């Protein structure tokens, strides 16, 4: 019997638990522990679903759904689950570096290598990307007054491909090892000669699945914004979040292709003996760095732009003021998007090209700082003279402005090739990019969750716990990463699992403390969600507008109905809903209702995801029959689906009318709450318009507002 | 914008109701975006090839030694003619809604396309057996096979797609969904011909000249 | 972009079948001529070195335009069309990526020469 035909390179020793038996060391026990947590977690979920009889609703209402709102929420859940894993890995790395002073610490070098590789890969592809994608999914169609994205099924397929990639990385906890090549996976180290195992293959296929999913997402959102805006919604009336979504989508369309190309080339090198990046035979590993960063640099803007959009919405809403410099923000976003394609070389200044090449890319990099600076001033000026409320989202915004500027400044430093030669590959760089990504992207997404959660679920999140999490996250970040700037300048290299310089110790201890605070912040956040679910009646805001919002998404009930808008709105200005409230036009009944067509649920997307995951697993372990079968099945699903011409269902006008009129009547009847009480249980989601509040003299109208805006 | 201006470039739908035109706009625009993203993929492969065909020969065979210009010329003609045939299939769909003649033109397109793929495979066979030039021989050959192979793979998937569309025409007739799919397939097919212009120029002709 | 499409469209808006056939035929002939010229140039060794490369590149560029115009029906008269903008933007990105890559790798290559 030839077992290799059936199991490929998979053996019983491939399972992580075998490692602990064959080599009982702390490092292996931690690996087995992580594997057990993954397995137990999966088992616990299965038991929970069975006991609660949630299998059917999960399948019927969620997995097979193509509704952009549900797809968005599933993306966010994926991001949070993966964040839990990656942040624990980060804490482990911090702990290892703290104790590994002149000793080996508790992790083997190889295990540490896997940790920074999975941490980086997960954080970028399976935390940050799903977070922004989920948010854009949920919010953008509501803001442009659309009923869904242009291609709802494609949207669900993108999600399921991303989930397949994430599952693959989770499997690597239990079966086999992950790559030790970092999130960038530079050859020749990741070539077959130096990394013969399955680890790099896990990286290749997980990232490829995520990358294809993101390309399709970008395509979908760009078409949606171009073709599905409601009447009157010209491009320059769109909320800024939609602009940043558009630019991010365009970046996704063009930047993911180089990644797909480069992973395929690396795979060909590894599987078929090609010579793209090998040491000899005409291979050129520097082209890998070139192609990877052709994707990698736009990628960081893919992540940050949606967060910029969130900040723009948050700052305007909680300053109760129109955003300052709308047009300049739009053009700044466009400039950033285009420029981000012209700076990729700054990631490999030290690779040996001549000084002129470095200089040109260095200058281009510094130029990007200009539009970003414009944005910062716009946000600051929006706050000037506004009636600011320090909600959790707003606290995150203020923290963002303070820390992001510092991160940006270190970025400008790094853009100077001379400086980069000194701190390249040190913890200075690690500090810099975490400084951009955590207060910028991650906290941006946290702020977005606080902000839009009530829209998605019909109740607010507990404010006290939100602030508690903020007060852990913000100082935690500073403690965890500012010491790294210092360490980097002292020469501490990145991706290093042990030290011998005693001067590093105090700084590493500080960083460890920071990581602990960050973990505490995450714990508060999870608690906040649990507590809020428990207290959902007290926190309920079914009328949909808890923050005195400005764009269209606040004009509909919370949670948003399946069809989003009973009748497509007709907008005449920016901040359409805010203007309507001010002029007393909000919550008017429409003249007539029509039947609404919505796409039917379908098993297509989850099946494609399932087969894609099996296909990738087969590739990792060289199980060729599985590769062939799942590939055929995947395309069979697509073809079968293409023969189904009955893909929409009709929601009758009467049902829409009944539900919408009930909502409008309730909204009109509700008294509305002034802003001082928005965090109390009086806030049922109807905001008292500013105009009325001001007339009642409850809040003195700030004169500075008029002067500045 | 007048109606004709609003008709997407590419292949027009024919006389149908305004709603299908709206739907077509969205779907076709989406497909254009897909094509552009695909084009970026090809661009990356072209750039890699451009570098490796000069720097990655590594003592192996050089481009001029392994390329057969006559074969490349015939392949060019085959693909061009098949693109042209697809154009006539679309005209038959647009002006006459005649399923039979659409199918006949599709058949012509498919046969020409299949001949193209067959010839490319034959090229590979000759290169590997007669010239000792498999993709594993050097960086240059790796890049060559990946670039032309990706194109050939695209053409082959276009052929499979074509078969499926023929079945759908037989099953559903020329309904709006089928027409929209044919339109996208046409765009795909024409775009592959555009990519081929790059390949025969920058790979074959450049390779032989320099 | 959101303006209404007038209901009922006159057939004249679509051009005639004859006209469109002609357009495909013109495309085919031009493409044949351009392809033929390129191959002849190489076969007959009419030009060599940089000049040959430049002419070949130019011929390819023209042929791409011919295909876009005659087979893919892109033209300047419809320049306000999203698709054209998309194509132009793509062209820009392609230019940056391809020329950047070649430049960087070539520069590195030169500095590695013994
Ligand atoms: C939340 C708390 C976080 C902590 C405590 C943390 C900590 C760390 C540590 C210790 C490293 C290894 C540094 C080294 O090479 O020596 C690292 C690397 C990295 N982190 Fe984080 N991180 C956090 C969040 C994030 C987030 C949110 C992202 C991105 C969305 C991220 C992306 C990365 C990347 C890309 C690497 C580089 C991996 C590599 O070297 O290949 N991290 N982080
Ligand atoms: Cu960068």
């Amino acid at each position: 019997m030839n077992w290799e035909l059936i199991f490929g390179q998979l053996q019983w020793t491939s399972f992580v638990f075998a490692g602990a038996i064959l080599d009982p060391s702390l490092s292996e026990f931690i690996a087995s522990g992580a594997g057990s947590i993954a397995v137990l977690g999966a088992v616990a979920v299965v038991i929970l679903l069975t006991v609660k009889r949630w299998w059917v609703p999960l399948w019927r209402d969620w997995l097979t759904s193509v509704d952009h709102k549900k797809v968005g929420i599933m993306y966010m859940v994926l991001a949070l689950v993966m964040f839990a894993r990656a942040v624990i890995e980060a804490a482990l790395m911090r702990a290892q570096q703290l104790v590994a002073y002149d000793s080996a610490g508790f992790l083997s070098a190889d295990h540490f290598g896997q940790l920074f590789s999975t941490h980086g890969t997960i954080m970028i592809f399976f935390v940050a990307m799903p977070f922004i994608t989920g948010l854009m999914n949920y919010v953008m169609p509501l803001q442009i007054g659309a009923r869904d994205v242009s291609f709802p099924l494609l949207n669900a397929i993108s999600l399921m491909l991303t989930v397949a990639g994430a599952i693959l990385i989770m499997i690597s906890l239990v079966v086999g090892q992950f790559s030790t090549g970092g999130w960038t996976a530079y050859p020749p180290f990741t070539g077959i000669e130096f990394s013969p195992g399955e680890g790099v293959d896990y990286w290749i296929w997980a990232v490829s699945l995520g990358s294809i999913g993101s390309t399709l997402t970008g395509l979908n959102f760009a078409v949606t914004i171009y073709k599905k805006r409601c009447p009157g919604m010209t491009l320059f009336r769109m909320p800024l979040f939609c602009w940043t979504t558009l630019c991010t989508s365009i970046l996704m369309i063009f930047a993911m292709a180089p990644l797909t190309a480069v992973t395929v080339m690396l795979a060909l090198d590894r599987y078929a003996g090609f010579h793209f990046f090998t040491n000899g035979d005409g291979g050129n590993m520097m082209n890998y760095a070139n192609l990877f960063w052709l994707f990698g640099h736009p990628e960081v803007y893919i992540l940050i732009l949606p967060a910029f959009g969130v900040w723009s919405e948050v700052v305007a809403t909680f300053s109760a003021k129109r955003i300052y410099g709308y047009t300049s923000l739009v053009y700044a976003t466009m400039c950033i998007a285009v420029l981000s394609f012209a700076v990729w070389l700054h990631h490999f200044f030290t690779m040996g090209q001549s000084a002129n090449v470095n200089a040109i890319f260095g200058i281009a990099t510094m130029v990007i700082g200009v539009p970003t600076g414009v944005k910062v001033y716009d946000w600051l000026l929006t706050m000037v003279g506004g009636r600011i409320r320090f909600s959790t989202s707003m606290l995150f915004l203020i923290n963002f402005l303070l820390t992001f500027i510092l991160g940006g400044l270190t970025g400008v430093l790094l853009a100077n090739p001379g400086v980069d030669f000194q701190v390249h590959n040190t913890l200075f760089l690690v500090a810099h990019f975490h400084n951009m990504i955590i207060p910028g992207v991650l906290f941006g997404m946290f702020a977005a969750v606080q902000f839009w959660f009530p829209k998605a679920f019909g109740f607010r999140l507990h404010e006290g716990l939100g602030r508690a999490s903020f007060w852990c996250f913000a100082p935690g970040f500073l403690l965890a990463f500012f010491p790294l700037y210092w360490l980097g300048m002292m020469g501490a290299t990145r991706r290093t699992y042990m030290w011998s310089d005693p001067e590093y110790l105090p700084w590493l201890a500080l960083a460890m403390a920071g990581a602990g605070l960050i973990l505490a912040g995450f714990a508060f956040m999870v608690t906040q969600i649990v507590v809020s679910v428990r207290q959902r009646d007290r926190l309920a805001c079914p009328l949909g507008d808890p923050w005195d919002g400005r764009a269209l998404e606040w004009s509909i009930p919370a949670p948003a109905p399946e069809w989003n808008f009973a009748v497509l709105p007709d907008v005449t200005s920016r901040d359409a809903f805010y203007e309507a409230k001010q002029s007393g036009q909000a919550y008017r009944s429409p003249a007539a209702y029509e039947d609404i067509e919505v796409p039917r649920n379908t098993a297509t997307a989850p099946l494609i995801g399932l087969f894609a995951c099996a296909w990738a697993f087969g590739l990792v372990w060289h199980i060729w029959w599985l590769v062939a079968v799942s590939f055929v099945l995947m395309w069979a699903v697509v073809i079968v689906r293409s023969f189904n011409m009955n893909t929409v269902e009709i929601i009758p006008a009467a049902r829409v009318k009944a539900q919408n009129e009930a909502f409008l009547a309730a909204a009109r009847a509700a008294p509305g709450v002034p802003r001082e009480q928005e965090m109390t249980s009086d806030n049922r989601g109807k905001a008292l318009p500013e105009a009325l509040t001001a007339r009642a003299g409850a809040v003195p109208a700030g004169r500075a507002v008029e002067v500045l805006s | 914008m007048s109606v004709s201006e609003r008709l997407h470039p590419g292949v027009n739908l024919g006389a149908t109701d305004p709603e299908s035109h709206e739907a077509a706009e969205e779907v076709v625009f989406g497909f254009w975006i897909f094509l552009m993203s695909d084009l970026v993929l090809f661009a990356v492969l072209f750039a890699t090839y451009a570098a490796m065909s000069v720097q990655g020969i590594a003592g192996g065979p050089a481009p001029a030694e392994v390329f057969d210009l006559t074969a490349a010329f015939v392949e060019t003609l085959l693909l061009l003619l098949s693109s042209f045939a697809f154009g006539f299939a679309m005209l038959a769909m647009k002006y006459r809604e005649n399923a039979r003649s659409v199918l006949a033109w599709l058949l012509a397109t498919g046969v020409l396309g299949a001949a193209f793929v067959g010839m490319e495979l034959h090229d590979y066979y000759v290169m590997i057996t007669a010239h000792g030039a498999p993709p594993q021989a050097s960086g240059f050959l790796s890049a060559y096979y990946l670039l032309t192979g990706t194109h050939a793979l695209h053409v082959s998937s276009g052929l499979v797609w074509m078969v499926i569309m023929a079945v759908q025409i037989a099953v559903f007739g020329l309904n709006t969904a089928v027409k929209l799919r044919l339109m996208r397939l046409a765009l795909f097919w024409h775009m592959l011909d555009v990519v081929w212009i790059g390949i025969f120029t920058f790979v074959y002709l450049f390779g032989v000249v320099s | 972009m959101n303006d209404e499409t007038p209901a009922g469209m006159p057939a004249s808006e679509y051009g005639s079948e004859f006209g469109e056939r002609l357009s495909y035929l013109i495309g085919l002939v031009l493409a044949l001529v351009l392809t033929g010229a390129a191959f002849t140039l190489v076969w007959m060794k009419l030009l060599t070195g940089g000049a040959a490369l430049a002419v070949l590149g130019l011929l390819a560029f023209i042929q791409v335009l011919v295909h876009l115009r005659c087979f893919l029906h892109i033209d300047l008269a419809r320049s306000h069309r999203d698709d054209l903008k998309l194509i132009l933007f793509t062209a820009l990105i392609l230019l940056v990526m391809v020329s950047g890559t070649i430049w960087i790798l070539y520069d590195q290559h030169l500095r590695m020469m013994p």
Side-chain angles (χ1 to χ4, degrees), chain A residues 83 87 90-91 93-94 97 112 116-117 119-121 123-124 127-128 181-184 303 427 430 433-434 437-438 442 480-481 493-496 515 518:
Chain A
F83 180 73
V87 81
M93 284 190 285
R94 279 273 136 272
Q97 290 191 333
F112 189 82
F116 65 68
S117 305
H119 167 79
T121 308
M123 280 294 193
I124 299 287
V127 174
W183 85 282
T184 48
L303 297 182
L427 291 182
V430 173
F433 70 70
H434 283 91
I437 286 182
I438 294 179
L442 192 69
F481 289 98
T493 47
R494 71 188 284 203
R495 297 178 180 170
T496 305
I518 291 178

Side-chain angles (χ1 to χ4, degrees), chain A residues 226-227 229-230 250 254 258 284 286-287 290 294 338 341 344-345 348 351-354 357 360-361, chain C residues 1-2 82-83 85-86 89-90 92-94 96-97 99-105 107-109 111-112:
Chain A
Y226 263 97
K227 303 288 182 192
R229 278 167 286 128
C230 69
I250 293 174
F254 292 104
N284 181 356
M286 293 184 295
N287 189 28
N290 171 65
L294 217 42
V338 173
F341 280 106
W344 74 96
L345 181 130
F348 48 99
M351 210 178 285
Q353 55 284 349
S354 49
V357 181
I360 288 184
F361 279 93
Chain C
M1 223 151 288
N2 283 308
D82 303 331
D83 312 66
K85 277 188 239 157
L86 177 71
F89 185 72
T90 311
L92 175 74
I93 300 291
L94 293 191
V96 172
M97 286 186 175
S99 58
T101 297
I102 294 176
W103 182 39
I104 293 166
L105 295 182
D107 183 89
Q108 289 173 341
H109 182 65
R111 288 163 62 87
M112 286 194 298

